[in-house]
Amino acid sequence: MRRGLGGRLRRLRVAAVPAVFVFLASCASNAPQDSLKPHGPVARKEDHLFFFVFGVATLVFILVQGLIIATVIRHRHRPGRPDPIQVHGNTKLELGWTVIPALLLVGVAFPTIFTIFDLAKEPTKNVLPVDVYGHMWWWEYRYPTLGISTANEMHIPTKTAVRLSLHTIEPGLPAAKGEEFAAGVIHSFWIPPLAGKQDVVPGRVNKLTISADEPGTYKGQCAEYCNLSHANMRLRVISQEQSDFNAWVAQQAKPVQVPASGDAAEGYKLFTGRATCVACHTMQGVQGASARVGPNLTHLMGRETFAGAMYDITPENLNRWIHNPSKMKPMRPEQGTGMPNLTQTGPHLTDTEINQLVAFLETLK
Ligand code: CUA
């Protein structure tokens, strides 16, 4: 008997340790993916609904638990007490505990349904459309009205309804007959400070509106398991004042500046030739270099991060990456998803050539 109790207590203690850590993690004040700190009107509406429903649920919890605890204490067995009166059925009570929860559910349903319809509404004023493409394992953004594209870091102007059309494609895989690209796998686009999750589903285009109040960088990630590097499929939304955003767009629209001499010029020759980079990457201004298997690299250095927003863009990281991409982010290039190790396949790049390629990449402002 005593041993059984001791074992149970020990198990409880073991279970309590992770529970305490999970609880403490919820106290972090600087968590960038905190969905309870909205930074835009869409996230705010969702936040209001959440707190309303949470409030109702908390009241119900306190009421029910309070009644249970009060009953247990008041009517507990004491020596000498007779058995309580035995009751079978109580119409008033039964009606009460059926009708009150039903009314509560109706009360919660109305704001929920109104919010769902409100969020699904197509914005009409001050709208910027962006096509989002989930790849294994990075995000591509194309701005159909601006004629530009970028990867992993999406720039948006503040106080603008950014209407996202969410697609999933795998240009590295063979496409079905009549299709431009192979259908991708399911992903979920999620930037907690700006909006809730929206699934990205093969064969259909889901919509999501996001909007940011202030300039800033908001972090998010893929929220639907999509195989090997799901956890590395991060993203950033960089919100800018309209003038800064316009300047960014103008820069993104420019073609590549071909370096005149030095390692960078050698790197450019490699990039567009022997190293076969343009077979997968877009380089604006280079004839035929518009592939979408990997990110558009024309303005690579204008980004803060690369490889699914995992690594800071530094010459050292780029060098390491080209030497062995799958070591920094697990991928399956042999199956058409991810960047191959070009030191061991295809062009079999040398250290000198990789240095030249990085020197070229560094010029891509
Ligand atoms: Cu894409 Cu998980």
Side-chain angles (χ1 to χ4, degrees):
M1 189 69 198
R2 287 190 61 187
R3 199 183 298 156
L5 187 65
R8 223 176 304 156
L9 276 176
R10 211 171 309 125
R11 274 206 294 279
L12 252 176
R13 268 205 298 270
V14 171
V17 172
V20 165
F21 277 113
V22 168
F23 178 74
L24 287 178
S26 69
C27 301
S29 59
N30 60 343
Q33 293 185 194
D34 190 340
S35 51
L36 300 178
K37 287 203 188 105
H39 285 270
V42 177
R44 209 151 33 238
K45 280 176 192 165
E46 292 166 343
D47 199 56
H48 287 164
L49 177 65
F50 169 78
F51 273 105
F52 170 71
V53 176
F54 186 70
V56 173
T58 306
L59 285 179
V60 171
F61 179 82
I62 291 171
L63 184 75
V64 172
Q65 295 300 315
L67 279 173
I68 290 174
I69 292 168
T71 310
V72 165
I73 293 173
R74 205 165 150 212
H75 301 289
R76 71 185 184 280
H77 180 69
R78 292 196 185 99
R81 251 200 186 179
D83 279 351
I85 307 156
Q86 301 298 303
V87 180
H88 294 282
N90 183 320
T91 313
K92 270 188 202 159
L93 259 180
E94 285 164 19
L95 274 175
W97 72 50
T98 308
V99 170
I100 293 171
L103 287 176
L104 276 174
L105 284 179
V106 171
V108 167
F110 271 99
T112 305
I113 291 166
F114 284 132
T115 306
I116 289 171
F117 277 97
D118 187 19
L119 292 176
K121 241 187 276 162
E122 188 85 33
T124 48
K125 265 183 285 173
N126 195 18
V127 189
L128 174 70
V130 179
D131 284 309
V132 177
Y133 293 85
H135 294 249
M136 284 196 260
W137 291 270
W138 58 282
W139 298 97
E140 179 187 16
Y141 310 105
R142 300 175 80 86
Y143 297 68
T145 52
L146 305 171
I148 57 168
S149 76
T150 185
N152 297 316
E153 298 171 5
M154 173 169 40
H155 286 241
I156 62 170
T158 56
K159 301 184 177 68
T160 300
V162 183
R163 186 67 167 166
L164 308 178
S165 299
L166 304 168
H167 317 251
T168 167
I169 55 168
E170 284 308 320
L173 301 178
K177 218 176 150 200
E179 299 287 329
E180 192 183 2
F181 299 113
V185 296
I186 188 167
H187 304 278
S188 177
F189 189 82
W190 190 33
I191 327 136
L194 301 184
K197 296 170 187 175
Q198 181 64 276
D199 276 350
V200 186
V201 183
R204 62 163 292 141
V205 179
N206 281 345
K207 303 278 186 168
L208 178 68
T209 304
I210 60 170
S211 180
D213 299 327
E214 304 285 338
T217 299
Y218 304 104
K219 292 182 181 174
Q221 65 184 74
C222 180
E224 180 72 50
Y225 180 67
C226 55
N227 213 310
L228 198 56
S229 259
H230 157 67
N232 302 324
M233 203 173 157
R234 302 178 198 170
L235 64 107
R236 288 183 183 189
V237 173
I238 294 158
S239 150
Q240 296 172 297
E241 297 290 1
Q242 187 68 50
S243 55
D244 293 338
F245 176 75
N246 292 346
W248 176 79
V249 170
Q251 178 64 17
Q252 298 301 304
K254 286 182 188 161
V256 62
Q257 294 228 305
V258 180
S261 62
D263 278 355
E266 292 303 315
Y268 173 80
K269 272 187 228 151
L270 279 165
F271 191 94
T272 51
R274 203 185 86 76
T276 65
C277 309
V278 291
C280 294
H281 294 284
T282 292
M283 185 55 61
Q284 285 151 221
V286 176
Q287 188 74 34
S290 57
R292 290 167 64 188
V293 179
N296 178 348
L297 297 182
T298 317
H299 299 286
L300 176 70
M301 300 311 282
R303 301 173 199 156
E304 295 163 1
T305 58
F306 73 108
M310 279 178 84
Y311 294 99
D312 289 339
I313 293 203
T314 63
E316 298 74 36
N317 280 343
L318 290 172
N319 203 300
R320 273 205 306 147
W321 176 260
I322 302 173
H323 268 99
N324 191 351
S326 287
K327 199 174 168 195
M328 291 172 75
K329 173 174 147 192
M331 295 178 287
R332 292 214 178 90
E334 69 288 352
Q335 293 176 13
T337 51
M339 174 151 158
N341 181 338
L342 296 174
T343 66
Q344 274 159 31
T345 57
H348 291 85
L349 297 174
T350 63
D351 285 357
T352 313
E353 287 177 320
I354 290 177
N355 288 339
Q356 292 167 338
L357 277 171
V358 172
F360 167 58
L361 294 178
E362 279 183 85
T363 67
L364 300 173
K365 298 284 154 62

